[in-house]
């Protein structure tokens, strides 16, 4: 009951901050940008003056899987940045302003406090991802060819795990620091370091969460879920659990020390 109350409080706060409006809208925009611009690129070029005389320009024939991966690529860069910026003050902002102390002075469980905030941010993130990819899927089917709805659900599920890890990283740094900007910086830095380590030791880290996008591409091409994608999903879930457990322990230790 206490968890539900805290969760509803977070949902209401996100609605009041208009996060339930601008986060999905941004995700829809960046997910549909590549499919639409790729299809209408010749018309766009003509509208701005065309190519120099004698220049030949021919677009490649994009497969539906190629175009939907363009959308996923945009979410992997701009979308992740939006999620980090949206979540960077979830706990650190309240700790800095003293709002968390007003909540925790009551008999509120640290576990409920952390997990309710994590779940509220995650629900917003996954909803925005689903709406963005659904919009992309619509334009892909309309302009480039058929991509099954089942494939779309698989993309949302597996890539949703990666975004859940991003949210968990942000929540973890939220419990460590009281400066939202530093939370965002360390979250992004950690993602970049993970990507660098995965690239250097790719032969050893086949199940790295950073490989999920690449394995999703393989899944779309082959029509079946690669075993490496399943392994990466399991590792990602394990990391999420560890980060949430670490967040609860860190936050409890800091609040009790204060």
């Amino acid at each position: 009951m206490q968890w539900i109350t805290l969760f509803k409080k977070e949902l209401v706060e996100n609605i009041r901050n208009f996060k339930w409006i601008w986060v999905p809208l941004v995700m829809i925009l960046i997910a549909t940008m590549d499919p639409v611009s790729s299809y209408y690129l010749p018309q766009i070029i003509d509208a701005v003056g065309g190519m120099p005389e004698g220049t030949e320009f021919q677009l490649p024939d994009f497969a539906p899987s190629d175009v939907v991966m363009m959308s996923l690529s945009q979410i992997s860069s701009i979308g992740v940045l939006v999620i980090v910026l949206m979540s960077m003050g979830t706990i650190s902002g309240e700790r800095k302003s003293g709002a968390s102390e007003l909540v925790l002075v009551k008999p509120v469980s640290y576990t409920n406090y952390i997990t309710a905030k994590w779940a509220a941010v995650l629900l917003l993130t996954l909803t925005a991802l689903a709406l963005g990819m659904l919009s992309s899927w619509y334009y892909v089917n309309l302009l480039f060819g058929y991509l099954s709805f089942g494939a779309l659900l698989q993309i949302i599920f597996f890539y949703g795990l990666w975004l859940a890890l991003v949210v968990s990283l942000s929540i973890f740094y939220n419990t460590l620091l009281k400066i939202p900007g530093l939370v965002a910086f360390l979250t992004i830095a950690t993602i970049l370091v993970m990507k660098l380590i995965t690239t250097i030791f790719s032969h050893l880290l086949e199940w790295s969460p950073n490989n999920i996008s690449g394995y999703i591409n393989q899944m779309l091409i082959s029509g079946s879920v690669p075993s490496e994608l399943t392994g990466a999903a399991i590792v990602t879930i394990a990391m999420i659990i560890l980060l949430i457990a670490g967040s609860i322990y860190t936050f409890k230790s800091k609040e009790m020390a204060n």
Side-chain angles (χ1 to χ4, degrees):
M1 185 63 182
Q2 185 186 79
W3 189 90
I4 295 295
T5 303
L6 291 169
F7 180 67
K8 287 181 178 178
K9 168 187 168 295
E10 293 302 315
L11 291 182
V12 170
E13 187 173 334
N14 286 338
I15 292 172
R16 287 175 178 170
N17 292 335
F18 302 103
K19 289 181 180 179
W20 276 95
I21 296 176
W22 69 263
V23 175
L25 284 178
V26 170
M27 202 68 78
I28 290 171
L29 177 63
I30 63 178
T32 55
M33 184 169 54
D34 274 350
V36 173
S37 61
S38 296
Y39 185 82
Y40 290 106
L41 187 58
Q43 290 90 327
I44 294 172
I45 292 174
D46 290 338
V48 296
M51 301 289 289
E53 188 176 349
T55 303
E56 293 186 3
F57 180 76
Q58 186 174 1
L59 284 173
D61 292 328
F62 293 114
S65 59
D66 296 330
V67 183
V68 82
M69 286 306 299
M70 292 180 189
S71 297
L72 210 59
S73 176
Q74 292 290 345
I75 294 175
S76 295
S77 52
I78 303 173
V80 167
L81 180 61
V82 168
I83 291 166
V84 171
L85 294 176
M86 175 267 295
S87 62
M88 67 182 182
T90 303
I91 298 171
S92 62
E94 289 192 356
R95 292 178 63 206
K96 187 176 181 179
S97 66
S100 62
E101 296 177 5
L102 297 176
V103 175
L104 295 171
V105 74
K106 303 173 184 179
V108 174
S109 163
Y110 291 104
T111 300
N112 288 343
Y113 181 78
I114 295 295
T115 55
K117 286 185 172 292
W118 172 79
V121 175
L122 184 60
L123 178 63
L124 174 55
T125 299
L126 295 182
T127 302
L129 170 66
L131 291 174
M133 292 310 300
L134 188 62
S135 302
S136 173
W137 175 78
Y138 170 77
Y139 282 107
V140 165
N141 279 273
L142 184 67
L143 303 175
F144 293 95
Y146 179 70
L147 182 71
S148 71
F149 187 70
L152 173 69
L153 292 179
Q154 288 179 315
I155 293 171
I156 293 172
F157 172 76
F158 285 111
Y159 196 77
L161 289 177
W162 166 247
L163 292 187
L165 179 61
V166 173
V167 170
S168 302
L169 269 173
S170 179
I171 293 295
F172 177 71
Y173 285 123
N174 264 273
T175 62
L176 284 176
L177 305 161
K178 292 185 178 181
I179 305 173
L182 193 54
V183 170
F185 171 78
L186 288 177
T187 302
I188 295 170
T190 301
I191 294 170
L192 292 176
V193 169
M194 287 173 59
K195 183 177 181 180
L196 179 62
I197 292 173
T198 300
T199 301
I200 295 174
F201 301 102
S202 57
H203 59 294
L204 298 174
L205 301 175
E206 291 185 350
W207 289 4
S208 169
N210 293 78
N211 289 331
I212 285 179
S213 291
Y215 293 145
I216 288 175
N217 190 30
Q218 291 181 21
M219 176 186 71
L220 293 176
I221 294 172
S222 65
S224 61
V225 179
S227 59
E228 294 87 355
L229 180 55
T230 303
I234 293 171
V235 170
T236 303
I237 292 171
M239 289 179 67
I240 291 169
I241 294 171
L242 289 174
L243 282 168
I244 296 303
S247 299
I248 295 167
Y249 175 79
T250 302
F251 187 73
K252 184 176 181 180
S253 301
K254 284 184 173 291
E255 289 301 316
M256 291 183 70
N258 292 336

